[in-house]
């Protein structure tokens, strides 16, 4: 009988882990609190696979942005104050982590993870038998101001220093790359090694692939606790009964700290709410994906549709929709793409999702010291879709007793632990 693996969470990280685990011969079960048709964070995102995103969220630039928009609830990065010890511990650690030294340490690792994940996408899409509208034409960061372009050029220089291709372009070249649209920009930076695709199609294909490889997915099954025996977890407790396994993986996104609480684990994560709106029949359609640099808004072609997404609001596990934050995305889009107007978005229902953000902007990938048969794969923030497949491959290797090449102490689930380990 093969070793049994139980995964908590059926987002892109959980299902990628399930697929790579099943391919190694494990008997895999996934439990998911949501319904089979529920579209969580892995569905409504911008669908970007971005080796260019080498700067972790915890960086000096984000501290400046947070201060700038401290009292502006519509700002691209906003922390909603609330009486929470977990929030203030997380914020203190975020501030401590947001240094140039941290960026320089993290950038090569983020680059390597993203490039490896891009290869995993090619591999999984070949198995799925659907390219999911995958485009290999790169992503362009568009800038409305000379100051914004200068800041993006600095990031481009860092990207080149770690071996990536980054081309600073003027307004004319930006329009050529982006397509036959009227742009209100002064220039941008093109990252030709970035990819993009439709996350909805990919997630549907990944689920089919997992089921074809024998993965059992239990939808609407919320974890309520754990049964442990010394240094081992023996069962996950759910409203539908116990689920025993030989090894366990927490892939519950923003809900991971709540899931881990019954194990006395300390894996600080705050939920960062983001929004997207998708036009099924846009008036114009660009050739490649873009990020509106100053506004922190992503625009991605997905087949005939066009998706606009952005904002990061640290507001707890609050899934309500704040209309004015959605309107900010629409305003930014219309300011940059002058072929569009607010009327084009009338009646379009917004999507929202909670992205799991760690204090240093790097995910947790690996085993915990607390238990011999427990791993964590969570906290990817805005890189969850980009890094989902490589995270699954790394966790499957760790479960098999291997030390994968990209394993790093920077990804340890124990790096912020405040409690004495057993």
């Amino acid at each position: 009988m093969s070793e049994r693996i139980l995964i908590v969470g059926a987002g892109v990280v959980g299902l990628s882990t399930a697929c790579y685990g099943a391919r190694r011969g494990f008997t895999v079960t996934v439990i998911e609190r949501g319904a089979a048709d529920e579209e969580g964070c892995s569905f409504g995102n911008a669908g970007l696979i971005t080796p260019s995103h080498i700067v972790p969220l915890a960086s000096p630039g984000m501290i400046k942005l947070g201060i700038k928009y401290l009292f502006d609830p519509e700002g691209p990065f906003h922390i909603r104050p609330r009486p929470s010890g977990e929030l203030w511990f997380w914020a203190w650690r975020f501030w401590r982590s947001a240094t140039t030294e941290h960026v320089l340490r993290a950038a090569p690792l983020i680059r390597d993870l993203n490039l490896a994940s891009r290869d995993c996408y090619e591999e999984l899409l070949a198995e799925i038998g659907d390219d999911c509208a995958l485009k290999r034409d790169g992503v362009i960061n568009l800038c409305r101001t000379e100051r914004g372009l200068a800041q993006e050029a600095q990031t481009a220089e860092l990207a080149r220093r770690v071996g990536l291709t980054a081309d600073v372009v003027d307004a004319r070249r930006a329009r050529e790359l982006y397509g036959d649209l009227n742009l209100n920009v002064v220039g941008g930076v093109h990252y030709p090694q970035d990819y993009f695709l439709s996350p909805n199609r990919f997630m549907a294909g990944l689920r089919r692939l997992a089921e074809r490889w024998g993965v059992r997915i239990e939808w609407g099954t919320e974890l309520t606790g754990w049964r442990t025996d010394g240094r081992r977890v023996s069962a996950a407790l759910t409203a539908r009964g116990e689920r025993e396994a030989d090894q366990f993986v927490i892939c519950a996104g923003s809900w991971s700290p709540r899931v881990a609480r019954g194990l006395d684990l300390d894996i600080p994560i705050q939920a960062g709410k983001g929004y997207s709106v998708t036009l099924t029949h846009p008036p114009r359609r660009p050739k490649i994906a873009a990020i509106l640099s100053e506004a922190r808004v992503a625009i991605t072609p997905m087949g005939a549709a066009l998706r606009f997404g952005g904002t990061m609001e640290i507001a707890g596990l609050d899934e309500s929709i704040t209309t004015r934050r959605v309107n900010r995305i629409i305003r930014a889009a219309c300011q940059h793409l002058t072929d569009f107007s607010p009327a084009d978005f009338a009646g379009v229902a917004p999507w929202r999702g909670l992205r799991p953000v760690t204090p240093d902007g790097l995910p947790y990938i690996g085993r915990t010291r607390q238990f011999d048969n427990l791993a964590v794969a969570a906290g990817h923030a805005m890189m969850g879709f980009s890094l989902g497949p490589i995270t699954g491959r790394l966790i499957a290797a760790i479960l098999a007793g291997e030390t994968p090449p990209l394993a790093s102490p920077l990804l340890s689930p124990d790096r912020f632990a405040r409690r004495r380990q057993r």
Side-chain angles (χ1 to χ4, degrees):
M1 179 178 176
S2 64
E3 194 168 23
R4 299 166 301 167
I5 306 298
L6 187 132
I7 298 168
V8 183
V12 66
V13 174
L15 289 184
S16 294
T17 302
C19 284
Y20 280 109
R23 197 171 72 167
R24 283 178 170 266
F26 294 124
T27 299
V28 182
T29 299
V30 179
I31 60 172
E32 165 58 45
R33 60 187 289 273
D37 60 351
E38 188 173 322
E39 293 194 346
C41 222
S42 298
F43 291 82
N45 61 77
L48 303 180
I49 305 165
T50 49
S52 66
H53 285 195
I54 55 172
V55 177
L57 192 65
S59 66
M62 289 308 295
I63 293 294
K64 294 177 183 177
L65 197 67
I67 293 172
K68 178 180 178 181
Y69 291 104
L70 182 62
F71 300 105
D72 182 1
E74 294 186 25
F77 178 61
H78 178 68
I79 299 178
R80 185 197 300 173
R82 63 185 190 278
S84 166
E86 290 183 355
L87 171 63
W88 294 114
F89 172 75
W90 178 93
W92 177 71
R93 293 299 310 181
F94 187 92
W95 175 74
R96 289 286 303 272
S97 300
T99 65
T100 300
E101 293 75 19
H102 173 61
V103 171
L104 295 177
R105 279 195 306 270
L109 176 61
I110 298 173
R111 171 206 60 200
D112 291 346
L113 289 169
N114 272 285
L115 289 172
S117 201
R118 194 183 63 175
D119 293 341
C120 290
Y121 267 105
E122 298 275 14
E123 180 181 49
L124 290 171
L125 289 172
E127 293 284 352
I128 289 169
D130 179 358
D131 69 0
C132 298
L134 177 70
K135 299 296 180 184
R136 303 173 180 85
D137 305 311
V139 173
I140 186 168
N141 288 18
L142 297 171
C143 305
R144 283 191 71 198
T145 66
E146 294 292 348
R147 181 180 179 183
L149 182 58
Q151 291 174 340
E152 283 299 327
Q154 290 179 351
T155 303
E157 176 58 29
L158 176 61
R160 287 192 288 266
R161 282 168 55 189
V162 298
L164 297 173
T165 303
D167 301 318
V168 180
V169 299
D170 60 16
R172 180 189 62 80
R173 180 58 179 155
R175 294 185 183 97
E176 290 176 356
L177 290 166
Y178 198 53
D180 186 23
L181 285 84
N182 292 310
L183 297 179
N184 180 21
V185 300
V186 299
V189 178
H190 181 228
Y191 293 97
Q193 291 164 288
D194 289 0
Y195 289 2
F196 58 93
L197 78 169
S198 168
N200 304 66
R201 282 174 58 178
F202 179 74
M203 287 301 295
L206 193 62
R207 176 181 170 184
R208 292 193 304 270
L209 181 62
E211 292 172 339
R212 173 156 46 99
W213 284 351
V215 175
R216 175 183 173 84
I217 307 175
E218 299 184 11
W219 302 98
T221 305
E222 187 164 6
L223 185 139
T224 59
W226 301 90
R227 178 157 54 83
T228 62
D229 181 12
R231 290 186 55 84
R232 294 187 64 81
V233 179
S234 51
L237 311 182
T238 79
R240 298 182 176 185
E242 293 190 3
R243 299 293 184 269
E244 294 184 343
D246 301 300
Q247 300 200 64
F248 298 81
V249 189
I250 296 175
C251 303
S254 294
W255 282 263
S256 294
R258 181 178 292 184
V259 167
R261 197 168 295 150
L263 295 169
D264 199 30
L265 292 181
D266 192 18
I267 49 171
I269 285 174
Q270 287 293 314
K273 184 159 51 178
Y275 300 92
S276 70
V277 287
T278 304
L279 299 183
T280 55
H281 301 288
R284 305 290 285 274
R285 187 178 177 280
K287 292 190 294 186
I288 64 174
I291 296 174
L292 310 182
S293 179
E294 293 96 338
R296 302 297 199 275
V297 170
I299 306 176
T300 310
M302 297 180 181
L306 191 60
R307 177 165 293 170
F308 303 77
T311 83
M312 172 67 77
E313 181 185 13
I314 306 297
L317 296 175
D318 173 13
E319 297 186 88
S320 64
I321 292 176
T322 304
T323 302
R324 60 186 177 181
R325 295 189 70 81
V326 179
N327 289 340
R328 182 190 172 280
I329 294 172
I330 294 171
R331 284 199 308 272
C334 296
Q335 288 168 354
H336 288 74
L337 280 62
T338 56
D339 296 303
F340 289 74
S341 73
D344 295 317
F345 298 85
V348 178
W351 170 94
R352 53 84 187 98
L354 302 182
R355 295 163 294 190
V357 185
T358 66
D360 60 2
L362 293 174
Y364 302 120
I365 305 175
R367 291 194 185 278
T368 70
R369 294 191 301 267
Q370 193 95 336
F371 296 97
D372 297 332
N373 63 335
L374 177 70
V376 178
H380 294 70
M382 294 178 291
M383 296 186 289
F385 195 75
S386 189
L387 298 183
I390 187 57
T391 300
R393 173 180 270 182
L394 291 175
I395 289 293
I398 290 169
L399 296 179
E402 301 172 7
T403 301
L406 291 175
S408 168
L410 293 176
L411 305 175
S412 169
D414 299 311
R415 63 187 186 268
F416 296 114
R418 291 176 289 176
R419 300 182 180 90
R420 187 171 64 186
Q421 303 297 326
R422 298 181 184 182

